[in-house]
Amino acid sequence: MRRVSILGATGSIGRQALEVIEVFSDRFRLEGLSVHRQIQELPNLIARYRPRWVAVTDPRAYERFLEEGGLDQGVEVLSLEGLYEKLATDPGEVVLNAIVGAVGFWASWYALQGPALLALANKESLVFGGAWLSPYRARIIPVDSEHSALFQCLLGEAPTAVARLILTASGGPFRGQKAADLNGVSPQQALNHPVWRMGNRITIDSATLMNKALELIEAHWLFGISHHQIEAWIHPQCIVHSLVEFVDGSLKAQLSLPDMRLPILYALAYPERPSWEGAPYRVPQLSQLYFEPIDEETFPSLQLARKALDKSIAAPALLNAADEIAVDAFLGGALRFLDIFGTLEWALMQPEMNENPRSPQDLAQLENAFREKVQSYIASCRVKGSL
Ligand code: NDP
Ligand code: MG
C-alpha cells in the first residue's frame, strides 16, 4: 500500500486524484488531505477516505472549522503551519500538490525536505521557485499532462541525446481568432474550454496561452533544458500530450485520451504502471491528429515567458504574480481580456524584474510587494481608462 497525501483535494485535480485512489483502493491509501476554504466538504471526505489528518490552509476557515466543533472522528486537524510541518516530516510516500497558484510553492518546498516523492500538478511551484526546487528534480514526478508525457519520453535517454522538447497546446476557446475578435470577450466565453474541464485560473490561462508560457518555464526547470530548446505547437485534439525530438532526428511522443486521471495515476504509481480500462485509446483516432503553429502576434504569452527566463530568477515568479492578479481582475470584470497581455507587458518592464533574490523567502517578500504594485497599476488604469 502506498500512502498518498492530496493537497488541494477540493479542486479539479484533487477530486480526480481522489477518484483514482478510490479505483485503486488496493494500491493507495489516503494518508492526509488539504482544503483551503471548502470546509463543508470535509465531513464527507473524511467519512469516505478515512485520512489520518486533514489540513485547512485558510486561517479563517481553520478557525471556523474548529469553532464549529471540527470533527471528533480521531482525525488530526492541521493549520497551514501544521501542514508544512507534517509535509517535512511524515506525509506518506507520495505527496500530490494540486493547490492552485504560486502559494503552492511552499507545500512543494516542505514536501521535498522529507523523503516523499512529489507528484506535482502545481506548475506555479516551479515557475515561482524553480531555482530552489530543481536540485530535487529526481523526486518530482510531473502531473501536468505535457510534462508527464515528456517525463515518459525521456526515461532511459541521455540528456545529450535530446535536441528539443515540444509542448502541445489545445489552443483554448479562441484558437484562430485575431486581436480584433477578442476585444469584448466575456469571462464566460473564456471559461468555455473546448477540451478540458479545469479550475478557473488555468482555464483563463489556456485562453491567453499563458498556461503554455508557464509550462515552458516548468519544463525548463523540471528537465534542466534551456528555453531555446523548448517549443510549443497547437494540437487541438489533445491526444499527443507532448514530444521529444532527439539529436538523431527521431521523435518520441506520448498519446492518450485527454483525461487527467491518467497522468495522476502515472505519478502516484511511478515507477509502476497499473492496468486500467478507464481511458482507452483507440488507433483510428490517430488519423485525426494535426498540429499548427501558435499565432504569437495575437497570443504573445510564450515570448513573455522567454523574456522573463532571460531576465532573472525573480522575473518568472513576478510575471506569474501579475498574471494571477490580471486573471482575477478579468474574472471580476475589472479588466478586458486583451488587457491581461497589457498588464503582463507592463510587469516585464518593471525594475523588480532584474532582481536575483538569494532565497525563496526573499523572493516571496519581493513578490508580495510586486502584487500590490500590480493591483495599484490595474486600479489606476481603470480610473484613467487607459489599459
Ligand atoms: P482548482 O481551482 O480547481 O483547485 C484549487 C485547489 O487549491 C482547491 O482545493 C483549493 O481549495 C486549493 N486552494 C486555493 N487557494 C489556495 C491557497 N491559497 N492555499 C492552499 N490551497 C488553496 O485548481 P485545479 O485543480 O484546476 O489546478 C490545481 C493545480 O494543478 C494548478 O496549479 C493548475 O495549474 C494545475 N493543473 C491543473 C490541471 C487541470 O486539469 N485542472 C491540468 C494541469 C495542471 P478550496 O477549494 O478548498 O478553497
Ligand atoms: Mg498542461
Side-chain angles (χ1 to χ4, degrees):
M1 276 293 206
R2 205 167 224 201
R3 295 185 299 135
V4 177
S5 302
I6 300 185
L7 313 181
T10 37
S12 153
I13 292 289
R15 287 174 197 275
Q16 293 179 82
L18 289 170
E19 237 181 280
V20 167
I21 287 195
E22 203 158 356
V23 173
F24 291 92
S25 56
D26 56 333
R27 186 178 272 272
F28 304 121
R29 188 197 181 294
L30 188 67
E31 180 73 11
L33 62 84
S34 84
V35 306
H36 192 55
R37 296 213 171 114
Q38 296 197 59
I39 48 176
Q40 75 283 0
E41 301 284 324
L42 279 176
N44 181 34
L45 287 171
I46 289 169
R48 195 151 172 186
Y49 298 99
R50 303 249 152 243
R52 284 179 219 262
W53 52 265
V54 298
V56 182
T57 49
D58 178 72
R60 261 178 295 179
Y62 174 70
E63 290 301 326
R64 212 171 60 238
F65 189 64
L66 293 185
E67 274 163 29
E68 285 167 7
L71 303 156
D72 64 351
Q73 300 173 35
V75 181
E76 195 182 353
V77 181
L78 305 171
S79 63
L80 180 65
E81 294 72 28
L83 171 66
Y84 290 163
E85 201 181 317
K86 179 72 81 182
L87 290 175
T89 50
D90 183 25
E93 280 121 307
V94 186
V95 174
L96 170 66
N97 184 351
I99 290 171
V100 65
V103 67
F105 166 84
W106 295 103
S108 295
W109 174 249
Y110 285 107
L112 289 168
Q113 306 309 305
L117 285 180
L118 175 64
L120 187 60
N122 177 263
K123 63 191 79 184
E124 298 93 334
S125 287
L126 286 161
V127 173
F128 175 89
W132 293 282
L133 297 185
S134 58
Y136 300 94
R137 63 167 74 101
R139 280 199 286 128
I140 305 178
I141 319 298
V143 169
D144 212 350
S145 54
E146 295 78 1
H147 304 72
S148 174
L150 293 171
F151 182 92
Q152 295 177 51
C153 295
L154 288 166
L155 278 184
E157 302 286 355
T160 48
V162 176
R164 239 190 302 249
L165 305 182
I166 302 165
L167 297 165
T168 53
S170 69
F174 305 134
R175 179 170 65 93
Q177 304 207 16
K178 294 287 173 197
D181 312 320
L182 298 175
N183 261 329
V185 298
S186 67
Q188 227 34 53
Q189 286 170 294
L191 284 170
N192 189 19
H193 196 280
V195 181
W196 302 98
R197 289 284 155 265
M198 312 177 282
N200 282 355
R201 198 264 166 132
I202 181 173
T203 307
I204 300 301
D205 280 347
S206 299
T208 57
L209 292 195
M210 259 316 275
N211 183 47
K212 219 40 58 181
L214 301 179
E215 290 184 355
L216 180 143
I217 299 169
E218 181 185 8
H220 162 72
W221 289 114
L222 200 51
F223 303 113
I225 282 185
S226 150
H227 74 80
H228 299 290
Q229 288 170 276
I230 308 174
E231 47 182 71
W233 284 75
I234 302 283
H235 168 52
Q237 295 77 28
C238 298
I239 296 288
V240 176
H241 294 295
S242 278
L243 309 94
V244 178
E245 184 188 318
F246 293 94
V247 287
D248 61 1
S250 65
L251 287 168
K252 264 195 197 176
Q254 185 265 331
L255 291 76
S256 59
L257 288 183
D259 183 333
M260 284 308 295
R261 291 174 306 171
L262 267 168
I264 291 170
L265 173 61
Y266 182 86
L268 295 185
Y270 179 81
E272 291 177 17
R273 203 188 265 277
S275 68
W276 189 37
E277 295 286 305
Y281 181 65
R282 305 278 177 241
V283 169
Q285 289 165 298
L286 274 173
S287 57
Q288 298 153 16
L289 305 183
Y290 61 86
F291 299 83
E292 62 193 38
I294 290 176
D295 170 4
E296 293 203 29
E297 212 171 295
T298 310
F299 302 96
S301 301
L302 280 161
Q303 293 160 31
L304 302 179
R306 291 185 198 282
K307 278 188 195 157
L309 278 172
D310 283 340
K311 271 181 184 285
S312 71
I313 283 186
L318 302 183
L319 182 69
N320 173 71
D323 182 60
E324 285 185 18
I325 291 164
V327 167
D328 270 353
F330 170 66
L331 287 172
L335 269 191
R336 288 165 304 179
F337 183 75
L338 290 176
D339 295 339
I340 298 177
F341 297 129
T343 306
L344 299 178
E345 273 152 14
W346 167 86
L348 268 180
M349 290 186 305
Q350 302 311 301
E352 291 87 338
M353 287 284 171
N354 302 314
E355 304 242 351
N356 282 299
R358 289 216 175 133
S359 66
Q361 289 79 4
D362 288 354
L363 174 58
Q365 254 184 9
L366 180 71
E367 196 237 33
N368 268 334
F370 194 69
R371 281 174 186 265
E372 281 176 29
K373 189 169 170 181
V374 178
Q375 301 274 20
S376 313
Y377 171 74
I378 291 177
S380 72
C381 290
R382 283 195 76 197
V383 174
K384 287 190 253 155
S386 62
L387 244 174

